[in-house]
Amino acid sequence: MAIFTETRVLPVSSYRPSRETLAVAAALLREGWPVAFPTETVYGLGGDALNPVAVRAIFRAKGRPPNNPLIVHIAEPGQLQELARKIPQVTHKLIDWFWPGPLTLVLKRSPKVPSEVIGRLDTVAVRMPAHPVALALIQEAGTPLAAPSANLSGRPSPTTAAHVLRDLNTRIPLILDGGPTSIGVESTVLDVTSSTPVLLRPGGTTVEQLREVVGRVALSPKAAMLTRSPGTRHRHYQPRVEVVLVLPRAELTGVVEQYWSRGLRVGLICSETARLPRRPDVKVHVLPESISGFAKGLFAAIRALEESGVDMIVVQGVEERGLGLAVMDRLRRAASLVVDEHGQAVVTA
């Protein structure tokens, strides 16, 4: 893996990205180096999706297992033709409604897509991001970009350039800093290779929105099918301290008190309406009551508490509907313990 003396961070406007700044990043991409950039979901670590050497550089920088497929990002729907074959009619309907946006579509892959991108599967995951910097960078580079989240493999996803720098400093040459991301969780991944679309990963486009457009969407796919989606095969979203997920109807303060009484330094992530424990030494991150605000601030709150020196993080869960389905998916993957509404703890890892 290449080690750089330092990783350069270039500010870029999320509304009118500078052509000069984009040219610097695009030149690195054409040389086969990975570059971090903002999307509306989280920061991505992009490389030329049609260059196997560039794709392998992404895996090395992240320490990502090679059998974990990547999402290919495009700047216009017409680019899908060179990446996928057997594009079903439902795909066009989904593109019309949800692209650009946080929806990734899984299709049969074109022979042009290197095996490194797809984890040696026969499918490819593609999306068109809804972020001016991401779209302009793809256009400037002149190629689709394979781009997982711009963090070390398994870590909480980055929603600011500072998060990327903490994980990947000296491992990549450049970060484009476009400010905090607007959604805060990754894209929804939907398999459209069969007659009924199948949800592989919940994300920024909700199941309810999808069903309004295409009707039936299948949930709970078979394990073999899940491997087609990034973020489902390996442990993800984990900080370096234990996370305890408290389901919405469980008694939150009691769980916090239980760990505090053992002498542990406890961090708490909860919504504005939660009853807070009366312990001044419990570090609390209060997130907005709205699910969009909760999702946007979640990964940043986890990272901030981790860096504050707590021994463990207790997180208040949310209702699993709308964007809450994606939030709870990420929290369940991050947690080593889940406390249910009866106060019973279930070990998940």
Side-chain angles (χ1 to χ4, degrees):
M1 187 194 75
I3 299 294
F4 301 89
T5 304
E6 64 177 350
T7 295
R8 188 180 180 189
V9 180
L10 285 180
V12 59
S13 168
S14 287
Y15 304 101
R16 292 185 177 180
S18 159
R19 181 73 182 273
E20 292 75 15
T21 301
L22 293 173
V24 172
L28 288 167
L29 290 167
R30 287 192 289 268
E31 292 171 7
W33 297 112
V35 169
F37 61 94
T39 78
E40 77 280 22
T41 56
V42 300
Y43 271 72
L45 182 62
D48 182 349
L50 304 181
N51 179 351
V53 174
V55 175
R56 288 194 290 270
I58 297 172
F59 281 90
R60 287 195 300 272
K62 283 178 59 73
R64 184 181 177 96
N67 64 345
N68 197 353
L70 305 179
I71 294 174
V72 179
H73 293 64
I74 60 178
E76 55 185 54
Q79 291 179 291
L80 187 62
Q81 300 294 331
E82 67 175 325
L83 301 171
R85 55 185 175 85
K86 295 183 180 178
I87 300 174
Q89 190 61 38
V90 70
T91 305
H92 302 293
K93 194 171 186 180
L94 288 163
I95 288 172
D96 289 343
W97 277 89
F98 297 111
W99 280 11
L103 176 64
T104 294
L105 300 176
V106 173
L107 301 113
K108 293 295 184 181
R109 68 115 171 182
S110 158
K112 293 185 67 173
V113 180
S115 61
E116 286 86 350
V117 170
I118 57 174
R120 291 167 175 77
L121 299 170
D122 65 346
T123 54
V124 61
V126 185
R127 91 174 182 101
M128 181 179 172
H131 195 289
V133 173
L135 294 173
L137 179 62
I138 297 165
Q139 291 171 336
E140 186 72 21
T143 182
L145 296 182
S149 54
N151 56 302
L152 288 174
S153 185
R155 296 274 292 138
S157 296
T159 56
T160 69
H163 297 161
V164 181
L165 189 63
R166 290 187 192 106
D167 276 10
L168 300 181
N169 190 25
T170 73
R171 301 172 75 94
I172 62 175
L174 180 65
I175 302 168
L176 295 181
D177 183 356
T181 62
S182 60
I183 295 179
V185 293
E186 298 82 356
S187 63
T188 299
V189 180
L190 189 70
D191 190 297
V192 292
T193 60
S194 55
S195 57
T196 299
V198 180
L199 182 75
L200 302 185
R201 182 182 74 182
T205 299
T206 69
V207 175
E208 293 86 348
Q209 290 171 323
L210 293 170
R211 285 175 172 160
E212 284 182 9
V213 173
V214 299
R216 187 173 174 226
V217 172
L219 306 179
S220 304
K222 296 178 181 178
M225 197 171 188
L226 275 176
T227 62
R228 297 179 175 184
S229 171
T232 59
R233 187 178 294 192
H234 302 276
R235 293 289 292 182
H236 285 76
Y237 317 118
Q238 292 188 309
R240 297 188 177 97
V241 296
E242 181 182 12
V243 172
V244 175
L245 170 60
V246 181
L247 297 186
R249 293 176 179 83
E251 210 283 300
L252 181 65
T253 57
V255 175
V256 174
E257 291 281 349
Q258 174 187 350
Y259 288 107
W260 179 88
S261 66
R262 297 178 190 175
L264 295 172
R265 295 168 295 179
V266 181
L268 171 63
I269 299 173
C270 59
S271 71
E272 295 167 321
T273 58
R275 185 165 64 90
L276 300 179
R278 296 180 180 178
R279 301 293 180 187
D281 48 351
V282 172
K283 297 182 181 296
V284 181
H285 266 258
V286 178
L287 298 178
E289 183 180 0
S290 71
I291 189 58
S292 59
F294 197 100
K296 182 177 180 179
L298 177 61
F299 285 137
I302 290 174
R303 282 178 173 264
L305 285 175
E306 177 190 65
E307 292 168 12
S308 74
V310 298
D311 298 312
M312 62 175 305
I313 300 171
V314 176
V315 187
Q316 176 190 35
V318 300
E319 296 294 337
E320 295 187 66
R321 60 176 182 269
L323 193 56
L325 186 64
V327 169
M328 288 298 283
D329 172 78
R330 306 315 189 265
L331 286 175
R332 290 182 188 278
R333 294 177 188 277
S336 56
L337 204 67
V338 176
V339 179
D340 67 18
E341 59 270 22
H342 306 295
Q344 301 297 311
V346 179
V347 177
T348 62

